[in-house]
Amino acid sequence: MNQLLGAHTSISGGVSKSVELAEKLGFTAMQIFTKNNNRWFQKKLDDKEINAFKSKLDKSNIKFVVAHDSYLINLCATKKIILEKSRKAFLDELERCKLLGITLLNFHPGAHLGSGEEEGIKRIAESLNIAHEKTKDYNVSSMLETTAGQGTTIGYRFEQLREIIDRVEMKERMTVCIDTAHVFAAGYDIKDPKSFNEIIKEFDDIIGLEKLKCFHMNDSKKPLGSRVDRHEHIGKGFIGLEGFKNIMDDERLARIPKILETPKGKEQLEDLENLKVLKSLIKNY
Ligand code: ZN
Ligand code: MN
Ligand code: MN
């Protein structure tokens, strides 16, 4: 089976440019921001750009595209004005995905900022219910990303993601992405093969493997359980090649697209090196 592999790809020059770059680098999967990730809002995507994106994608070998939302959005912000801005911006992100034909919007659940995890989880679910209610006919799922648990961020335990999903009305709109650096920093030992196997079983028991639609493949600059989110090149961090071998060579996970978010320059040549390393770890599947 040919695994779908790629990286977060730049949209510099317009969203359709990302397809050209990803294709040039030989990706079969990619992630993009649909706008500047450090901005709340940006002008609407124009039809020309949308059509260019879609037609280039159609002709390419890229079979999987996920969008990542803006870093400013916090679906459980405590200040009313920020919460409302976040909800509006999230809606805008869903709309951009719909226009581009992207079916997955990856996002960080949120940071409770001292209000407590329980309160944060409730607020995130409420935000998602509002967004889904307003986008009933959209074929775009909200993809919860596992977090490192840095600061007051929520989503560093599978149980927390489960609780969010439980409170969301349109459960079919919910999917999950595992970020390897984040789960490792959160304390899940994916490096040890036996522990890795138990973690995947745990994920299946708590959330269900059918909800897992993507992996973010990043090594970690920080040790197990550090709760610090710092990405490193594959094999150069605390997860190491052993850890990535567990994922790349697991039959249960072979069908799940894998996206690098490792450090890179403008031309993204570092991605080629990291992908080569990942591919070298596939022995059986
Ligand atoms: Zn992310
Ligand atoms: Mn990630
Ligand atoms: Mn990260």
Side-chain angles (χ1 to χ4, degrees), residues 108 145 179 182 218 229-231 261:
H108 301 183
E145 179 174 358
D179 183 308
H182 296 176
N218 307 306
D229 177 6
R230 294 281 182 283
H231 301 187
E261 291 175 318

Side-chain angles (χ1 to χ4, degrees), residues 31 68-69 71 106-108 145-146 179 182 216 231 261:
Q31 175 173 281
H68 195 302
D69 77 339
Y71 290 143
N106 180 80
F107 68 103
H108 301 183
E145 179 174 358
T146 58
D179 183 308
H182 296 176
H216 282 169
H231 301 187
E261 291 175 318

Side-chain angles (χ1 to χ4, degrees), residues 160-223:
Q160 296 174 332
L161 301 184
R162 178 75 253 171
E163 271 188 68
I164 294 169
I165 296 169
D166 278 344
R167 288 173 177 276
V168 169
E169 273 155 40
M170 299 179 197
K171 291 183 177 39
E172 70 285 0
R173 289 284 292 269
M174 300 303 298
T175 50
V176 176
C177 167
I178 292 182
D179 183 308
T180 54
H182 296 176
V183 288
F184 188 76
Y188 289 99
D189 184 4
I190 54 172
K191 186 187 179 98
D192 176 76
K194 196 167 155 259
S195 163
F196 175 80
N197 201 32
E198 281 158 15
I199 289 164
I200 295 302
K201 272 205 213 106
E202 197 182 320
F203 184 97
D204 195 26
D205 287 344
I206 296 171
I207 298 173
L209 271 179
E210 71 285 353
K211 287 240 175 268
L212 181 62
K213 299 295 178 195
C214 183
F215 271 101
H216 282 169
M217 304 294 274
N218 307 306
D219 209 331
S220 178
K221 264 198 169 75
K222 299 289 172 182

